[in-house]
Amino acid sequence: MELNFTGTDICAINGTRSAPETHYDIVVVGAGPSGVAAAIDAAKAGAKVLLVDENPVSGALMGNDIPLYFGGRMTAATQNTERMLEAIFMSMPALETAMDAGVELLLGTTAWGVYRNGPGVASLPQQVVGLADSERSYLVGFDKIVLATGARDLAMSFPGWNQPGVMGAAALQMLLTRYEAFAGQRILVLGSHDLALETALLAQARGIDVVGLIEVRDAPQGNAELVAKVAAAGIAIHCGQTITSATGGINGIESATLSTGDVIACDTICVAIGLIPSIELVDAMHGPRALNATRGGYIPAGEPSVTAVGDCAGLADSGFDHVAYRMDWMRALSDISADDTIICQCEEVTRADLIGVQPPNYLSRPAPMCARSLDTLLQDGPANPDQIKRLTRAGMGVCQGRRCRDQVAMLLAIEADKPFGSIPLASHRAPVRPLPLKILAEWDEPAEMDAAWDVWFGIPTQWVPVEDINTPYQDEHRQMLYTGMYT
């Protein structure tokens, strides 16, 4: 049927979007060394540059392991925003250099989404990045965007890992070097590649008692010089072993049990098996990505208006196969994990729930659901993590999958007997950081957008049949029907 309309449909979204508050030649997301350097170079070349960084994040976000895997090992100092800001400037003098070069700097500001016209979106006035601080959310236009979002911690599940005191290496390094706000005193490190070795040496240099490193492979995996430094520091590397459980009390971790049966007293278990390039914004804007095992996993594949720098673009390539190493750890931990081992902490999804493709215990499980399993899904084709997420809720919690997304993909690959790259990661969607609705909401909505709310969402007349809603659009629509203007 051919439809002939005259005039303008007031319910169309075209032309109703809010204009961005301002526009920059270049927006740099992430004020680490790579991001600051990119911002300074652009400003010196005459560009109007905005540099944003989410740090210092609130204590509440840190408590939910955002953006890094803090594991509840922060001191109360992280609740003091002014102190945290001062610590950032004290530890990163290059920020002042950037400001002197003309870069506009926003700290404590999250870049939660990037939007461009394309399939499914054709009404934006220009490409924009969504920003939010503790007070509000707004849009900023840009010509080019530089992602310097770094890398995040890879979490690994084992019995007892869902207690305070199990944390990531990047989070530990940030608490030790940037904020001086680490609450632990005695740590056990998982892994023996460069990340683990450097973390152990840093912790010891900061006065932390490092009780050892655990390595599933038969020999240390890192740089020989770093291995020698760790040995010279008197830190033992236990090879050919894994952690089988962690026990704790009211304050979290108190000890770890190894596959040999040895029990090691500690208040912190640092998971230093690997870092993951932070590509959430790339994913949310539907940008291309590629799996690169020697650069840390999935990395941006490149686009004309998007540049990735630093660890976001991929870890330094030393030839080490990070993916194979992580899979060895995942298999070892899977072998010792019971069915009730938690995989997704936020939603309390167990290993049995994930493999059985069942919802968590707080939801009902009708008979058809109970008959479902990963085996039945695999009969229809390869496992899809987004489908698994919807069916099990693994990855739907407030941490937005940061603790479980990668290990879910690894577990699915193991259970399906497929290479890791054949099972994609669950997708990231904006907002890539949890934001309160009161901040995310657009309170100053344009009148054009507000004009047809009753038709779009049935508010306030949501129980009135659409044909009885008296709006100019509906009146015109009915008139066209009655007069035969539809052909």
Side-chain angles (χ1 to χ4, degrees), residues 17 33 46 88 96 102 105 178 241 257 262 272 289 323 406 420:
R17 302 276 192 181
I88 287 178
E96 291 191 25
L105 174 65
R178 180 178 292 184
Q241 299 186 45
T257 302
D262 295 332
R289 63 184 182 184
V323 170
D406 303 281
F420 172 73

Side-chain angles (χ1 to χ4, degrees), residues 27 29 50 52 110-115 127-131 138-142 145 281:
V27 173
V29 181
L50 174 66
V52 300
T110 294
W112 53 262
V114 178
Y115 296 93
Q127 54 187 359
V128 295
V129 55
L131 303 179
Y138 54 101
L139 298 177
V140 166
F142 64 89
I145 189 166
L281 282 173

